[in-house]
Amino acid sequence: MDIRDLRPPVEDGPWPPLTQLPPMTFEPLARATSWQQLIYAQGGGFRPLLMDVHVPATPRPAPVVLWVHGGGWGEGDRRLVPLQWGQQEFFQQFVDAGIAVATCDYRLIAEAPVEAMVQDIVAAIRYLRRYAGELALDADRVAVWGDSAGSHLSSLAALAGSAPDPDPAILGSQGVGEGRADVTGIVWWYGASDLTVLPELCEFLWATATPEERTTLAERYSPVTYLRADSPPLLIMHGDQDTMAPFDQAVRLHEAAVAVGAPSRLLVVPGAEHAFLGADIRAQWQTGLDFLAGLFAGGRAPAAARACSSLGKRSPDACPRRVVDHRNDAGSAHDHPGRQAPGRVAPNTDQAYRVWRIAEHNGRQPP
């Protein structure tokens, strides 16, 4: 089977947990050089960590986006996106836009703690920079994009790594061991941003820790902790019907960015479940690509996104998603439910905080 033919066991409805996948072939992406199974970190008693990098055929070094898969911190594969999306098409969109895409495996919760997962993402960013010349990448134009658990890990690594004086204990020394870990921009999709209000998730992530230790770890490993006025621009996207990842986490991340003066844009996808099921997934891909293309070109946001950010445009044809832009913060409380003023975000009591495990949502939405 070619990976492009991989589909969910059933197109609609639940299915049992996937404990294996059929034999599959992986062809290089069209119009790209595909570097597969690069070992970006190894040693220390853990398995070699692999990365694929797909580089468009362009005359100049290409900007690159590190895609970090979801999977509830305990599942997932660098080569796969949510099964309902179809495989390879998402990565091909990057190449067709003239942007390289790297996809990395990282250690999972049965292998290593969250602290190690974050260090793996940092190691992947550093690897891309160390070998930018060999891979035909632009080392000064590196961004991250993750979904669900992957958005938690990638945004945390990127925000911590973009600080003027990064904490070496957060970044670690895996792989190439040192070097820049800052990024040009961050795309955050329906993940976790403030673990201090997710006690069940913290219990899952740090099962052997004491409650006091979990309190400290939750703050230390929350992306909101590392926001600064000079943080890289954020595009935050979340479906307003997500029953897996609390929508409140998107609000908290955006409001925390606004509070410190960091550039942030929150896009609410109406009617979308986790993984944007129920919405046009290609439109969501394009929104993220347009955002990053604008940053790589040296701007804050692409023209299309700026046109949609006008809060006065409510026609679905003119702007198919509700948009909150920090530049339009005043008077925009109606743009998403539960919106609070910066620094005064209330917990979402209408949506239970749940642990994102594959078994809880097979057939509804991959994490």
Side-chain angles (χ1 to χ4, degrees):
M1 173 191 290
D2 186 271
I3 188 175
R4 295 172 178 84
D5 298 323
L6 182 65
R7 297 295 304 168
V10 295
E11 291 297 330
D12 187 22
W15 66 74
L18 299 178
T19 59
Q20 48 76 38
L21 292 172
M24 292 182 289
T25 58
F26 297 81
E27 297 298 326
L29 297 185
R31 298 172 295 281
T33 298
S34 291
W35 303 79
Q36 298 180 335
Q37 301 186 56
L38 301 177
I39 299 175
Y40 75 88
Q42 65 178 355
F46 59 86
R47 61 186 167 95
L49 299 176
L50 304 182
M51 173 191 294
D52 297 341
V53 184
H54 308 285
V55 184
T58 57
R60 299 171 56 190
V64 60
V65 176
L66 176 65
W67 166 258
V68 182
H69 69 78
W73 296 270
E75 304 276 353
D77 185 307
R78 72 185 187 282
R79 300 164 296 181
L80 302 178
V81 296
L83 296 185
Q84 293 93 334
W85 293 3
Q87 303 304 309
Q88 297 293 80
E89 183 181 355
F90 177 49
F91 300 144
Q92 187 68 55
Q93 296 295 314
F94 287 89
V95 169
D96 291 347
I99 299 171
V101 58
T103 68
C104 68
D105 287 331
Y106 54 88
R107 286 172 286 177
L108 303 173
I109 195 65
E111 303 173 275
V114 174
E115 298 89 319
M117 300 180 201
V118 176
Q119 293 177 2
D120 292 346
I121 306 307
V122 171
I125 295 171
R126 286 171 165 168
Y127 184 92
L128 292 171
R129 281 213 169 89
R130 172 67 66 86
Y131 292 102
E134 291 90 330
L135 297 171
L137 304 176
D138 186 339
D140 290 324
R141 294 189 292 169
V142 180
V144 296
W145 187 339
D147 79 319
S148 198
S151 70
H152 164 249
L153 298 172
S154 59
S155 62
L156 175 53
L159 289 170
S162 296
D165 187 19
D167 183 348
I170 293 290
L171 272 54
S173 58
Q174 304 294 351
V176 299
E178 59 184 7
R180 289 170 54 195
D182 59 291
V183 301
T184 301
I186 300 168
V187 179
W188 183 99
W189 274 10
Y190 47 84
S193 66
D194 184 354
L195 274 58
T196 66
V197 295
L198 300 173
E200 292 182 18
L201 178 58
C202 291
E203 185 175 353
F204 167 68
L205 295 177
W206 294 289
T208 61
T210 66
E212 293 76 15
E213 289 170 336
R214 284 189 200 121
T215 298
T216 300
L217 289 165
E219 181 176 6
R220 184 168 174 79
Y221 286 91
S222 290
V224 295
T225 300
Y226 298 93
L227 283 163
R228 302 165 47 94
D230 57 358
S231 290
L234 281 154
L235 174 63
I236 302 163
M237 297 177 63
H238 208 128
D240 65 3
Q241 298 300 309
D242 195 325
T243 59
M244 218 50 231
F247 177 79
D248 175 64
Q249 290 289 295
V251 178
R252 287 175 176 272
L253 182 57
H254 176 69
E255 296 291 10
V258 171
V260 298
S264 177
R265 184 180 299 261
L266 169 59
L267 274 67
V268 184
V269 183
E273 246 285 8
H274 204 60
F276 295 135
L277 298 186
D280 180 354
I281 188 57
R282 290 170 182 81
Q284 318 316 317
W285 296 346
Q286 193 62 53
T287 298
L289 284 168
D290 287 347
F291 172 79
L292 292 174
L295 295 178
F296 290 146
R300 280 297 189 188
R306 288 197 300 270
C308 259
S309 70
S310 172
L311 296 175
K313 293 183 179 179
R314 282 287 159 253
S315 164
D317 294 331
C319 188
R321 304 167 190 80
R322 294 197 296 277
V323 179
V324 179
D325 190 308
H326 75 281
R327 292 170 297 181
N328 298 321
D329 194 61
S332 59
H334 60 280
D335 284 307
H336 60 72
R339 181 174 170 84
Q340 305 290 324
R344 291 173 43 243
V345 179
N348 184 343
T349 57
D350 295 329
Q351 188 170 29
Y353 296 129
R354 302 171 59 194
V355 174
W356 295 305
R357 289 174 175 163
I358 289 276
E360 291 181 352
H361 52 74
N362 272 333
R364 292 193 294 118
Q365 62 280 325

